[in-house]
């Protein structure tokens, strides 16, 4: 984020690959939607140079100018997406992931058939308007990170077993295997079938719910980009508490009217206190009282096989005092993880910050640490933290 008036711009262009006709253009400045659009001549030039390369069997994927990064990506020889970003520090990987999520959002709400067999450009433009809110959420500032990690954002509730048991019983009662409990776009609990959803729909469905205006209940048609890109399913959502929703993925049944207040009360009224305890977990991810080293400012824990992640930069309170001589002992455990670290500023306590990355089996941990954390203790601190978090994910 730069000074006022100098925030980086992001422009997203969607074009029909065969004709070069623009289908939509979305822009953001400093993470907020912006009305500023690119001139048609610029859009034509960006698409033209990409098509010129294709005609010569050269794949143009990215380019950089002094202050802007551009990434091109074609999908099914039918849709071309182009993103331009002047945000400081933006990587080509991040922009490529953005384009993958944007196309996934288009499939989610329009279906793959409409995108790969374009019969009427104007009709497709109108249908794609339904995806604008979701696409804009990828361009904006978000507390979620699943769009970049390709893992589902999760939280750890204090009474997870109770909620999981109720969720499984509720799913059986309503007749669908795909149910999740979601707080602020993060999964609190889910059925086994929901966890088996492929990418990108496992992430997209949560972002879709978060992008929609609050409602007590919804019945929303969706395609699954990986699992069912041609045949729509129904996404039902039911608000239990503000910010806490049940999400159900189903076919023609059950009708939304069957999920009445009496059914919800029967399953969820006895768990009102555990449900309320989930509300603060949105930004924090971890339950209150979970001890973390005082030097930790933020963490990202990925489970690369389960495709789930815990992410937070709100760790005030519940921190244990720093004891580097003890946490160093964790290095000597049977499994020694691979590690790397980055120090910003001189390698001395009190200046700059520290970033540590650790991988052990399917788990990868990234920690952002305060300046006073000594460099020689980074690996031990991170290893200690990873072992403490392992039972949670």
């Amino acid at each position: 984020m730069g000074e006022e008036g100098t925030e980086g711009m992001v422009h997203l262009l969607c074009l029909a690959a065969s004709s070069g006709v623009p289908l939509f253009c979305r822009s953001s400045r400093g993470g907020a939607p912006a009305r500023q659009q690119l001139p048609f001549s610029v859009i034509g030039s960006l698409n033209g140079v990409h098509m010129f390369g294709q005609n010569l069997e050269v794949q143009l994927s990215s380019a950089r100018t002094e202050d802007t990064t551009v990434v091109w990506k074609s999908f099914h020889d039918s849709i071309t997406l182009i993103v331009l970003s002047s945000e400081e520090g933006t990587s080509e990987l991040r922009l490529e992931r953005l384009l993958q999520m944007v196309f996934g959002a288009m499939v989610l709400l329009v279906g793959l058939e409409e995108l790969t067999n374009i019969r009427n450009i104007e009709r497709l433009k109108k249908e794609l308007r339904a995806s604008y809110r979701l696409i804009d959420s990828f361009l904006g500032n978000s507390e979620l990170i699943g769009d970049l990690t390709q893992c589902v954002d999760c939280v750890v509730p204090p009474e997870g077993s109770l909620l999981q048991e109720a969720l499984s019983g509720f799913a059986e009662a309503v007749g669908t295997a795909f149910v999740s409990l979601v707080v602020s776009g993060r999964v609190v609990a889910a059925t086994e079938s929901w966890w088996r959803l492929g990418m990108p729909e496992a992430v997209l469905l949560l972002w879709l719910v978060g992008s929609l205006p609050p409602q007590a209940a919804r019945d929303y048609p969706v395609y699954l980009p990986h699992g069912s890109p041609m045949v729509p399913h129904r996404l039902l959502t039911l608000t239990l508490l503000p910010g806490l929703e049940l999400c159900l993925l189903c076919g023609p049944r059950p009708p939304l009217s069957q999920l009445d207040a009496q059914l919800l009360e029967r399953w969820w009224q006895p768990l009102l206190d555990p449900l309320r305890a989930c509300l603060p977990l949105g930004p924090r991810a971890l339950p209150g009282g979970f001890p973390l080293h005082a030097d930790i400012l933020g963490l990202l824990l990925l489970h690369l096989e389960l495709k789930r992640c815990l992410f937070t930069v709100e760790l005030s309170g519940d921190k244990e005092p720093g004891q580097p001589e003890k946490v160093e002992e964790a290095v000597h455990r049977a499994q020694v993880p691979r590690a790397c670290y980055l120090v910003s500023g001189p390698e001395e306590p009190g200046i700059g910050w520290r970033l540590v990355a650790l991988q052990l089996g399917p788990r990868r941990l990234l920690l952002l640490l305060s300046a006073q954390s000594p460099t020689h203790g980074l690996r031990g601190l991170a290893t200690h933290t990873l072992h403490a978090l392992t039972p949670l994910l």
Side-chain angles (χ1 to χ4, degrees):
M1 181 73 72
E3 296 177 1
E4 187 174 355
T6 64
E7 298 98 334
M9 287 289 301
V10 179
H11 296 287
L12 173 70
L13 312 174
C14 176
L15 306 98
S18 58
S19 63
V21 174
L23 299 175
F24 64 78
C25 177
R26 309 301 294 172
S27 300
S28 72
R29 180 190 291 275
R35 293 185 178 181
Q36 180 180 344
Q37 300 292 316
L38 289 174
F40 187 77
S41 59
V42 174
I43 296 175
S45 298
L46 288 167
N47 188 53
V49 70
H50 184 255
M51 294 182 68
F52 179 76
Q54 284 186 319
N55 291 336
L56 297 176
E57 297 184 353
V58 174
Q59 184 63 43
L60 177 61
S61 58
S62 64
R64 284 183 180 269
T65 67
E66 185 177 341
D67 60 358
T68 301
T69 303
V70 186
V71 173
W72 292 261
K73 195 165 183 64
S74 294
F75 297 87
H76 299 273
D77 296 322
S78 179
I79 297 292
T80 299
L81 293 177
I82 308 171
V83 62
L84 302 84
S85 175
S86 60
E87 292 183 327
E88 185 178 356
T90 296
S91 68
E92 294 173 8
L93 172 63
R94 183 180 185 280
L95 295 180
E96 185 174 339
R97 291 275 172 91
L98 168 65
L99 295 185
Q100 291 171 346
M101 295 303 289
V102 168
F103 184 73
M106 295 164 63
V107 176
L108 186 79
L109 297 174
V110 174
L112 189 59
E113 173 67 21
E114 294 294 322
L115 298 172
T116 56
N117 188 12
I118 302 175
R119 301 181 183 89
N120 186 312
I121 287 284
E122 294 305 316
R123 186 181 70 184
L124 179 58
K125 285 182 181 180
K126 291 180 180 178
E127 291 177 345
L128 285 171
R129 290 174 187 168
S131 66
Y132 286 179
R133 278 181 174 269
L134 178 53
I135 290 171
D136 287 348
S137 70
F138 294 128
L139 299 180
N141 294 326
S142 175
E143 294 179 342
L144 303 177
I145 203 168
D147 59 327
L148 181 60
T149 64
Q150 305 289 286
C151 294
V152 176
D153 285 279
C154 301
V155 298
V156 181
E159 298 189 64
S161 58
L162 284 176
L163 296 173
Q164 186 65 53
E165 184 179 351
L167 191 76
S168 300
F170 177 78
E172 185 175 350
V174 300
T176 179
F178 299 87
V179 185
S180 64
L181 181 63
V182 178
V183 61
S184 303
R186 300 164 175 88
V187 173
V188 178
T191 60
E192 290 186 14
S193 295
W194 184 281
W195 284 127
R196 286 198 294 266
L197 286 173
M199 291 294 161
E201 49 257 38
V203 170
L204 284 169
L205 290 171
L206 301 178
W207 282 71
L208 173 62
V209 173
S211 70
L212 298 173
Q215 285 183 283
R218 304 185 191 92
D219 191 336
Y220 215 84
V222 293
Y223 297 82
L224 304 181
H226 175 75
S228 181
M230 301 290 191
V231 180
H233 286 64
R234 295 164 61 225
L235 176 65
L236 309 183
T237 68
L238 303 162
T239 299
L240 299 180
L241 293 170
L244 185 66
E245 297 179 271
L246 283 170
C247 298
L248 297 81
L249 194 61
C250 53
R253 300 188 63 81
L256 187 60
S257 58
Q258 180 180 322
L259 308 176
D260 55 18
Q262 288 184 335
L263 180 67
L264 293 179
E265 287 180 8
R266 184 191 322 156
W267 284 99
W268 300 106
Q269 184 69 32
L271 297 176
L272 192 55
D273 287 339
L275 290 173
R276 284 176 175 153
C278 294
L279 297 179
L281 293 177
R284 178 177 165 82
L286 300 171
F290 187 85
L292 288 169
H293 194 281
D295 289 349
I296 298 175
L297 304 177
L299 68 84
L300 170 62
L301 176 63
L302 304 168
H303 196 298
L304 302 176
E305 291 179 359
L306 298 179
K307 295 294 184 183
R308 305 178 198 175
C309 68
L310 296 173
F311 172 66
T312 181
V313 289
E314 297 192 16
L315 293 170
S316 57
D318 302 325
K319 292 190 176 182
E320 60 184 12
Q323 294 177 314
E325 69 281 355
K326 291 186 178 180
V327 299
E328 285 287 350
E329 297 172 4
V331 176
H332 302 295
R333 299 195 183 200
Q335 291 182 300
V336 179
R338 292 182 294 164
C340 65
Y341 68 89
L342 174 68
V343 175
S344 173
E347 292 197 24
E348 56 187 74
I351 300 177
W353 45 262
R354 286 85 171 98
L355 183 66
V356 188
L358 220 69
Q359 179 148 349
L360 182 59
R363 293 176 177 83
R364 181 176 299 163
L365 176 67
L366 289 89
L367 294 179
L368 179 66
L369 301 165
S370 62
Q372 68 259 23
S373 190
T375 304
H376 66 83
L378 296 181
R379 183 184 180 116
L381 190 159
T383 304
H384 174 80
T385 304
L386 179 57
H387 281 290
L389 291 170
T390 293
L392 305 182
L393 188 65

